[in-house]
Amino acid sequence: MITEVVSAIADPSRRAILDSLRRGELAVGDIVAASGVAQPAASKHLRVLRELRVVRVRKDAQRRLYSIDPVPMSELDRWLEPYRVLWNGSLDALGRHLDAVGDADTSADE
């Protein structure tokens, strides 16, 4: 499932669509307006996202309302967690180094 989610979000237009859906459920017209993706392309991308179960769709009278399915995204988040820990550790080390260099510069100026 993670491979499919990564493949789905690799496309910038699909990421724009998902970004618009972060705020909640939207109809296709609202997705087009919020994402800047043209309607025919948005429909194609929504079909891909729906088939990969990254988004859900429900009918409301004549409209189809789309929302993000949190399950595949949470699976991706769990997979990314060790990398986030590694990245945060590297940033913490860089911060400590910069603090030490800053302290050394301040001491040299005095």
Side-chain angles (χ1 to χ4, degrees):
M1 177 61 86
I2 292 170
T3 302
E4 291 86 359
V5 173
V6 170
S7 176
I9 64 176
D11 184 279
S13 295
R14 291 187 199 131
R15 286 195 308 274
I17 289 169
L18 289 171
D19 284 344
S20 68
L21 290 172
R22 280 185 302 131
R23 294 172 203 89
E25 189 176 63
L26 293 173
V28 175
D30 297 326
I31 293 168
V32 167
S35 68
V37 177
Q39 196 281 325
S43 292
K44 289 178 184 178
H45 289 301
L46 284 165
R47 181 176 38 85
V48 170
L49 292 169
R50 190 179 67 244
E51 288 172 354
L52 294 172
R53 295 192 171 113
V54 175
V55 298
R56 295 184 283 210
V57 62
R58 73 176 181 88
K59 287 187 177 187
D60 179 41
Q62 300 299 323
R63 303 182 319 157
R64 289 178 177 253
L65 299 172
Y66 290 86
S67 62
I68 294 175
D69 187 334
V71 173
M73 300 305 265
S74 65
E75 290 174 11
L76 177 61
D77 185 57
R78 276 193 303 278
W79 182 81
L80 287 170
E81 179 60 25
Y83 298 96
R84 216 175 0 263
V85 169
L86 175 67
W87 180 249
N88 287 338
S90 296
L91 287 176
D92 290 345
L94 176 61
R96 287 190 299 275
H97 172 73
L98 293 175
D99 288 345
V101 169
D103 290 345
D105 286 346
T106 303
S107 297
D109 290 341
E110 292 176 1

